[in-house]
Amino acid sequence: MATNVTTVSQAPMKATSNGSFQGDNPLNYALPLIIIQICLIVVFTRLLAWILKPLRQPRVIAEIIGGVLLGPSAFGRSKKFLHTVFPAKSMTVLDTLANIGLLFFLFLVGLELDIRAIRRTGKKALGIALAGISLPFVLGIGTSVVLRATVSKGVSQGPFLVFMGVALSITAFPVLARILAELKLLTTDVGRMAMSAAAVNDVAAWILLALAIALSGNNTSPLVSIWVLLCGVAFVAFAILVLRPALALMARRSPEGEPVKELYICITLTLVLAASFVTDTIGIHALFGAFVVGLIVPKDGPFAGVLIEKIEDLVSAIFLPLYFVSSGLKTNVATISGAESWGLLALVIFTACFGKIVGTLVVTLILKVPFREALALGFLMNTKGLVELIVLNIGKDRKVLNDQSFAILVMMALFTTFITTPIVMAVYKPARRAAPYKHRTIQRKNLDAELRILACFHSTRNIPTMINLIESSRGNQKRGRLCVYAMHLMELSERSSAISMVHKARNNGLPFWNRKRDDKDQMVIAFEAYQQLSSVSIRPMTAISPLDSIHEDICTSAHQKRVAMIILPFHKHQRLDGTMESLGHSFHLANHRVLHHAPCSVGILVDRGLGGTTQVSASDVSYTVAVPFLGGPDDREALAYGVRIAEHPGIMLTVIRFVVPPGKLLMTECESGVRVGEAIPGDNKEVDDELFLSEFEGSRNESTSYEERVVETKADVIAILKSMNKCNLFLVGRMAPTAPLLDRSDCPELGPMGSFLASSDFSTTASIIVVQQYDAAANLHPLVKEQVAEMCDMPDTPVGSTSTSNPSFQT
């Protein structure tokens, strides 16, 4: 018998080939084949994710679809493709790598899941979670009876019943976090309840899955299942009593500001593998050991964060997609054929949706949640994801699910998750609401009113210039004080640590004012250090959002904080050789959207190191600021800001007014780019300009100089500007009434004069702020709905206000 087995068994694949020149086919060897498989999987799933991005689908959808398409359902129908790229003899290596990636991903999930937050779950969220588990579980049991009578004949009743119940009752916590973040629902009541309920659901799902695995062993004796469960409980107790103190000791010996020892990282990752071995030996799958170790790692201090940084990119970008494709290779949609199979698929989808949505809806309505919010919660709780696939794969490996039932349940998970985003967008659109306010520009009649600025930045590179600009803008003691909201703009990434971001956002709001922030944040420290030395009030904030919608966060925060000006970083930064390098087209488009929707004035900062690369103390500030003035509302706003800056004792302001002789015209309406909805300059422009300049003349002091220069052509304007290129900062209006000074410009948001000043040919040392004054007539599509028109004359919220209201975002 042994001889026969040896004869028919395939020889194992060798690891490496001798190369094609030696006559070897690399695809017949394990290492080059797995490399080809990984490259194909990553490229294909990322391409699908890019295609599905306009539909706002989470990446897990693209990875599941990619796995199904690469399997026997689509490309795998070609036997040549399947036998060449995914031959049966290579599946052991692929599955092993995929499961190693899964182990460490589950470790990350446990690492990012805060048990303390689950303990604080309110009664409302707990009721929603229980309803979202119990009704689908009961309906899953009923569905299992139908499936056992049709496509799953002969399977063990108990394990199949539990697996079906678990499969239908799961809510994917990480996927739900991603969807809520994409739809900007994290800080709404719906978002908070959904996340709290999903966290409880996640823990319950793991317990039920452990039960299902314990029941699905080959040995049918109930005593074996009991022993498996008891040993599992003993392992958890050992992890809490023995492993947790050891991990806590390593965390305590990893102080803030110092690198975590490589030995501690090595010990922790080895513990993950060892715990996985123990739980696999017990019989409740290796992933439980990894999850439990992640759960008991202390969340305070830098230790957990360093562990996430070390492994998440490799795991989520390379190894995790392997698991989805490994699942897809087991999924043959062709097995769903005939009226009976399609009817069963419809039944399973209906049962899953009905149980989750109706169960959640009924309980939320009993808890007096508005109907639209309750309906949105129902669809959000119906989100499936990785845990669903883990359940199904374990069920298939344990022979609880056959090919047809496995394919039906995979399609159910795919369908329910795919419909979540579009349906929630359709049924629930929370309006952004805020009280109106009047101080929306720097130019104002009441100069004693507090000036509020929302200063945005992308990275630490912008902070020295931003602080030096804030110092320059603080005015004097006679004017109203300056309050600055310093907003760090962060792109919502696809990393698995988005769960950590979700916890932070839920605690503080999105965008959130970091009242409970980590005091070791380098960006926060820089602003707080400056605040201690000045009379300026600094409020650090963070906006975490996709770049195609981050303008909503900026504009909504500006309205809620009642700011007079938003300062945006230019989408290009200056390299050492003086040339401007783009950060990406997405940043460029984000600035355009802010200019279009802003509820106040906007300034785009072209940063060339105002004051150098370090913060300049107040006593050392010595800048020359220039305001080229051609007229119009934007130029007046730029000059009003210049007047405020000139109050600083270390700053000299130079204002040059360009005067066009009668009969000459530097401006053409189409070339100047008049804003939509804005009155065409010319009606009262000259009157307003003269009145404003006369007020400026009356308030001048020794730190300001004013002169008028006659210009007849663009060349005259360029010559005068070049004579001023030694200035540290230029303030210019965006829609200055002049023809473009450059033949070509890819930055229309800077206007004709700003585009010239920002060019490397003009200067490599002068920073520029291009100013657009708020125009109520141009703000045709406000992002914030003002609640009561009569509130326009109400005073702004005091600086010391501790209001914690979070913005509600419209999807």
Side-chain angles (χ1 to χ4, degrees):
M1 181 66 68
T3 306
N4 291 336
V5 172
T6 306
T7 303
V8 298
S9 64
Q10 290 184 337
M13 295 180 73
K14 292 183 179 180
T16 58
S17 73
N18 295 319
S20 57
F21 290 109
Q22 299 290 335
D24 286 349
N25 182 357
L27 296 183
N28 291 331
Y29 296 83
L31 181 61
L33 181 58
I34 194 65
I35 291 172
I36 288 293
Q37 290 172 344
I38 291 173
C39 292
L40 174 64
I41 289 167
V42 170
V43 171
F44 188 65
T45 54
R46 287 303 175 108
L47 179 63
L48 282 175
W50 178 76
I51 293 171
L52 294 175
K53 190 174 182 180
L55 300 177
R56 290 191 169 186
Q57 293 295 328
R59 199 171 75 194
V60 64
I61 288 291
E63 291 171 336
I64 294 175
I65 293 175
V68 172
L69 292 179
L70 288 173
S73 303
F75 295 118
R77 295 177 73 88
S78 167
K79 298 299 181 184
K80 185 175 182 181
F81 170 82
L82 202 61
H83 292 161
T84 303
V85 183
F86 296 105
K89 58 185 178 181
S90 73
M91 296 312 296
T92 302
V93 177
L94 179 64
D95 286 345
T96 302
L97 272 182
N99 278 279
I100 288 176
L102 182 66
L103 291 183
F104 283 107
F105 181 78
L106 266 296
F107 169 67
L108 288 175
V109 172
L111 201 60
E112 295 163 341
L113 199 62
D114 192 350
I115 293 294
R116 293 170 297 184
I118 296 176
R119 289 174 185 165
R120 294 194 296 267
T121 300
K123 294 181 180 179
K124 187 179 290 188
L126 188 61
I128 293 169
L130 292 177
I133 294 171
S134 54
L135 183 58
F137 194 92
V138 171
L139 292 177
I141 293 173
T143 307
S144 70
V145 175
V146 178
L147 289 177
R148 285 188 72 245
T150 52
V151 298
S152 298
K153 295 177 181 178
V155 298
S156 179
Q157 181 176 359
F160 186 69
L161 181 148
V162 177
F163 266 102
M164 284 297 299
V166 173
L168 268 63
S169 60
I170 282 173
T171 296
F173 181 79
V175 181
L176 179 63
R178 167 70 46 195
I179 290 174
L180 288 171
E182 287 275 359
L183 299 183
K184 300 186 187 300
L185 296 176
L186 284 170
T187 56
T188 62
D189 290 337
V190 166
R192 292 191 190 95
M193 284 189 288
M195 290 305 299
S196 297
V200 175
N201 191 299
D202 220 28
V203 174
W206 287 113
I207 295 172
L208 290 172
L209 181 57
L211 174 64
I213 293 173
L215 293 173
S216 63
N218 294 327
N219 194 321
T220 57
S221 171
L223 287 176
V224 173
S225 298
I226 294 172
W227 274 112
V228 169
L229 287 174
L230 288 176
C231 290
V233 172
F235 168 76
V236 173
F238 175 81
I240 294 173
L241 297 175
V242 179
L243 298 184
R244 188 177 182 182
L247 291 167
L249 178 64
M250 290 189 287
R252 285 196 302 272
R253 292 187 175 181
S254 304
E256 196 76 53
E258 295 184 14
V260 176
K261 290 183 179 179
E262 184 268 343
L263 178 63
Y264 295 166
I265 302 293
C266 179
I267 291 173
T268 306
L269 298 183
T270 305
L271 276 178
V272 173
L273 296 174
S276 300
F277 172 78
V278 171
T279 52
D280 188 76
T281 303
I282 291 172
I284 53 172
H285 206 280
L287 60 88
F288 279 97
F291 179 71
V292 169
V293 172
L295 213 56
I296 62 175
V297 171
K299 305 301 187 286
D300 301 323
F303 188 60
V306 170
L307 286 170
I308 292 173
E309 289 178 8
K310 293 286 184 184
I311 63 176
E312 75 165 337
D313 284 342
L314 183 65
V315 168
S316 62
I318 301 295
F319 290 117
L320 198 57
L322 301 185
Y323 189 78
F324 291 105
V325 172
S326 175
S327 302
L329 291 171
K330 302 172 188 174
T331 307
N332 189 356
V333 179
T335 59
I336 309 174
S337 60
E340 181 183 79
S341 293
W342 286 105
L344 289 172
L345 174 61
L347 174 67
V348 170
I349 291 175
F350 173 77
T351 307
C353 294
F354 183 84
K356 276 289 185 183
I357 296 167
V358 173
T360 304
L361 185 64
V362 170
V363 172
T364 47
L365 290 177
I366 292 174
L367 295 171
K368 298 181 179 179
V369 175
F371 177 78
R372 293 176 72 88
E373 294 186 11
L375 188 60
L377 261 175
F379 279 101
L380 287 168
M381 296 300 290
N382 199 31
T383 304
K384 302 289 190 286
L386 177 65
V387 181
E388 172 85 3
L389 281 186
I390 293 172
V391 172
L392 300 182
N393 274 286
I394 293 174
K396 194 169 190 307
D397 293 341
R398 298 292 178 101
K399 308 299 183 183
V400 176
L401 302 175
N402 60 21
D403 289 346
Q404 194 168 353
S405 57
F406 180 80
I408 288 173
L409 291 171
V410 168
M411 296 305 291
M412 177 272 293
L414 190 60
F415 178 82
T416 54
T417 307
F418 191 89
I419 64 172
T420 299
T421 299
I423 291 181
V424 171
M425 289 174 66
V427 302
Y428 184 64
K429 295 181 179 179
R432 308 175 190 86
R433 301 180 184 274
Y437 70 104
K438 57 184 178 180
H439 292 141
R440 298 173 183 262
T441 60
I442 303 289
Q443 182 187 352
R444 59 182 69 176
K445 293 181 179 178
N446 182 11
L447 298 178
D448 294 330
E450 178 186 64
L451 175 63
R452 296 185 176 190
I453 293 176
L454 178 64
C456 304
F457 59 94
H458 294 140
S459 65
T460 53
R461 180 193 293 127
N462 306 126
I463 291 179
T465 293
M466 196 63 71
I467 292 179
N468 292 336
L469 182 62
I470 293 169
E471 168 61 27
S472 304
S473 307
R474 63 181 171 87
N476 56 34
Q477 298 299 324
K478 298 177 183 178
R479 290 282 190 106
R481 65 181 298 181
L482 176 65
C483 178
V484 176
Y485 296 92
M487 178 178 279
H488 183 199
L489 305 179
M490 295 178 64
E491 182 180 8
L492 181 64
S493 71
E494 291 284 353
R495 289 178 170 175
S496 59
S497 57
I499 302 174
S500 298
M501 172 276 299
V502 167
H503 286 310
K504 185 182 288 187
R506 288 179 66 212
N507 290 334
N508 301 285
L510 179 64
F512 56 87
W513 169 16
N514 286 314
R515 291 177 300 103
K516 298 179 181 179
R517 64 186 174 272
D518 183 356
D519 290 332
K520 305 302 182 183
D521 189 322
Q522 297 299 315
M523 297 185 183
V524 174
I525 289 173
F527 286 108
E528 286 190 337
Y530 167 72
Q531 183 175 232
Q532 298 297 322
L533 303 173
S534 70
S535 59
V536 180
S537 176
I538 306 284
R539 309 284 178 84
M541 304 170 67
T542 303
I544 309 173
S545 186
L547 290 180
D548 59 358
S549 62
I550 202 166
H551 67 282
E552 298 176 10
D553 301 349
I554 297 170
C555 295
T556 303
S557 295
H559 199 295
Q560 295 212 339
K561 303 304 181 185
R562 304 179 182 183
V563 304
M565 177 178 276
I566 300 170
I567 296 180
L568 297 171
F570 189 42
H571 72 281
K572 295 182 180 181
H573 68 92
Q574 185 168 266
R575 299 191 309 189
L576 293 176
D577 60 1
T579 58
M580 302 296 288
E581 183 177 45
S582 176
L583 296 173
H585 190 56
S586 298
F587 291 100
H588 193 190
L589 293 178
N591 285 357
H592 273 280
R593 296 186 186 107
V594 173
L595 286 167
H596 187 67
H597 293 286
C600 59
S601 294
V602 180
I604 297 180
L605 172 62
V606 181
D607 180 8
R608 286 182 171 140
L610 180 63
T613 57
T614 57
Q615 177 185 339
V616 179
S617 63
S619 59
D620 294 333
V621 169
S622 179
Y623 303 144
T624 303
V625 179
V627 181
F629 189 90
L630 274 156
D634 292 350
D635 276 20
R636 292 196 295 271
E637 184 76 351
L639 181 52
Y641 190 27
V643 171
R644 170 91 185 197
I645 288 176
E647 294 174 2
H648 194 288
I651 293 178
M652 293 294 296
L653 175 66
T654 300
V655 181
I656 294 186
R657 184 185 186 188
F658 296 94
V659 179
V660 182
K664 297 288 184 180
L665 187 64
L666 286 177
M667 169 195 158
T668 59
E669 290 171 12
C670 61
E671 288 180 322
S672 66
V674 177
R675 291 197 296 275
V676 176
E678 179 183 343
I680 296 175
D683 295 336
N684 298 311
K685 179 180 74 68
E686 291 82 2
V687 176
D688 292 340
D689 290 345
E690 293 298 334
L691 181 61
F692 182 73
L693 288 172
S694 64
E695 293 176 357
F696 167 69
E697 283 283 340
S699 61
R700 278 179 54 196
N701 54 38
E702 64 278 0
S703 64
T704 61
S705 64
Y706 173 81
E707 61 178 301
E708 295 184 354
R709 304 286 290 271
V710 177
V711 291
E712 298 185 2
T713 63
K714 291 192 297 182
D716 296 339
V717 176
I718 291 173
I720 294 172
L721 291 175
K722 285 188 174 180
S723 68
M724 304 163 62
N725 66 357
K726 299 301 182 185
C727 292
N728 301 99
L729 177 66
F730 281 86
L731 300 172
V732 296
R734 178 179 175 229
M735 295 304 177
T738 181
L741 304 182
L742 291 177
D743 294 332
R744 280 183 62 185
S745 174
D746 59 349
C747 306
E749 73 276 17
L750 297 184
M753 192 169 291
S755 297
F756 174 73
L757 295 175
S759 65
S760 303
D761 295 336
F762 173 74
S763 175
T764 58
T765 57
S767 296
I768 303 107
I769 297 180
V770 180
V771 179
Q772 172 182 286
Q773 187 178 60
Y774 173 72
D775 179 14
N779 194 15
L780 301 177
H781 306 286
L783 294 173
V784 178
K785 184 177 180 181
E786 297 185 350
Q787 292 172 309
V788 185
E790 291 77 9
M791 297 175 68
C792 286
D793 296 327
M794 290 179 61
D796 290 348
T797 306
V799 176
S801 170
T802 57
S803 173
T804 59
S805 62
N806 292 322
S808 295
F809 297 100
Q810 184 176 359
T811 55

